[in-house]
Amino acid sequence: MERPRSERKMPNLLIISVCNTYAGTKDALPGVNEDIKLMKSLNIDLNVRVHVFENMGKDELLKRLDEYVRHYGKDGKSPEVNTIIFHYSGHGYRSEIDRFEGFFDNDKQRVGLMEVLGKFSKYARLMCVFDGCRSESKSITSTDYDKITNVSTILLYGSSKGETCYATKKGSYLTMAFCDAFKKQKPLPTYMRTGDLVKLTMATVMSYRILLKDRTPKFYLSKFVREKFKELTDLIS
């Protein structure tokens, strides 16, 4: 029998979600409101640390992320946290000029994705679920992944280079697939390892394929993940 939520120990995991709806503008994304609900439900259903930042400007967002990094993990008030999942839902971009990709805050300022992920370098494991378009550039060849130093790194993209992502008023497909897969991992281990993130990733891929008729999210995997978990590499190849 599963223990009551109040008695279950939280795993060594922190989930940070950034969701932008752009309400009141011509670029509004009403479906992101559903993504917000889905992400918040993970805390209720699975007793994990989930912090959702809604419609926040760039400067305030980066400031808050720094505060969370100081609080969670080594040398912080919650040192047991060494695994992080970063989720984004909203408008994204991919720039041919500066060879960069990222997302637009709620005021349409650009926020570099690698600038954000680079803040999480002290954590042993990093997973990113990026549910935004990457459609601005058609010929960019690479992204600045050098800022990501986590040994275990898995990045999932809801769109290919030069493409828009898939979303409806009921929610964004990669977010829906991720949350569905996450809830199927219940009960979560109290100590999540790379293998647990790989299992979650594979379940997300399968759920995404069901939603979008065999399409597969795009990936970046660190060398450690590619070499140690061939089953994931085989699944996405």
Side-chain angles (χ1 to χ4, degrees):
M1 179 180 297
E2 186 177 350
R3 297 173 64 186
R5 182 176 185 271
S6 60
E7 296 180 7
R8 298 199 302 269
K9 182 180 179 181
M10 281 190 168
N12 56 321
L13 172 67
L14 170 65
I15 300 176
I16 292 179
S17 174
V18 175
C19 296
N20 295 322
T21 65
Y22 315 97
T25 74
K26 63 181 180 62
D27 299 314
L29 296 174
V32 175
N33 288 304
E34 300 305 314
D35 297 340
I36 291 170
K37 295 175 184 177
L38 283 173
M39 294 305 297
K40 288 183 176 180
S41 72
L42 298 180
N43 175 276
I44 297 171
D45 293 344
L46 294 164
N47 195 38
V48 294
R49 302 171 180 86
V50 180
H51 299 280
V52 181
F53 297 121
E54 304 174 38
N55 301 321
M56 193 169 285
K58 176 179 179 179
D59 292 342
E60 180 63 18
L61 172 62
L62 296 179
K63 177 182 176 182
R64 294 289 298 279
L65 291 178
D66 286 337
E67 291 173 354
Y68 275 68
V69 169
R70 286 195 296 270
H71 181 89
Y72 293 103
K74 185 179 179 181
D75 301 323
K77 294 183 179 180
S78 299
E80 70 279 5
V81 174
N82 61 7
T83 301
I84 188 161
I85 297 177
F86 176 78
H87 164 264
Y88 173 75
S89 180
H91 287 303
Y93 74 90
R94 191 171 175 84
S95 171
E96 183 176 357
I97 297 174
D98 56 14
R99 298 180 65 197
F100 221 54
E101 67 182 11
F103 56 88
F104 292 102
D105 72 4
N106 211 54
D107 299 320
K108 301 308 290 285
Q109 290 190 81
R110 295 186 179 198
V111 183
L113 177 60
M114 299 307 146
E115 179 182 6
V116 171
L117 299 185
K119 292 180 178 296
F120 306 136
S121 60
K122 76 175 186 178
Y123 301 103
R125 288 164 288 275
L126 168 66
M127 180 176 180
C128 171
V129 180
F130 187 82
D131 209 350
C133 301
R134 304 161 76 200
S135 58
E136 187 165 316
S137 170
K138 296 182 180 179
S139 60
I140 190 168
T141 57
S142 64
T143 305
D144 184 14
Y145 289 115
D146 293 340
K147 293 182 182 295
I148 304 177
T149 59
N150 315 75
V151 173
S152 297
T153 302
I154 301 172
L155 309 186
L156 292 80
Y157 295 100
S159 59
S160 299
K161 301 172 186 177
E163 289 185 352
T164 57
C165 66
Y166 296 88
T168 70
K169 292 182 179 180
K170 295 182 179 180
S172 307
Y173 283 114
L174 185 57
T175 301
M176 289 190 286
F178 168 74
C179 290
D180 176 67
F182 203 102
K183 291 179 181 180
K184 289 178 179 177
Q185 309 305 308
K186 187 177 181 179
L188 293 176
T190 55
Y191 192 89
M192 294 194 71
R193 302 180 183 276
T194 303
D196 298 305
L197 291 185
V198 168
K199 182 180 177 182
L200 172 60
T201 301
M202 294 179 72
T204 300
V205 170
M206 300 309 296
S207 182
Y208 189 81
R209 285 178 171 176
I210 291 172
L211 289 170
L212 283 172
K213 298 180 180 179
D214 295 328
R215 289 187 65 92
T216 298
K218 304 307 174 185
F219 283 81
Y220 167 81
L221 306 175
S222 65
K223 181 179 179 181
F224 174 80
V225 176
R226 291 196 308 270
E227 293 181 349
K228 298 295 183 180
F229 298 92
K230 296 292 187 181
E231 64 272 25
L232 179 56
T233 306
D234 293 341
L235 179 66
I236 64 177
S237 61

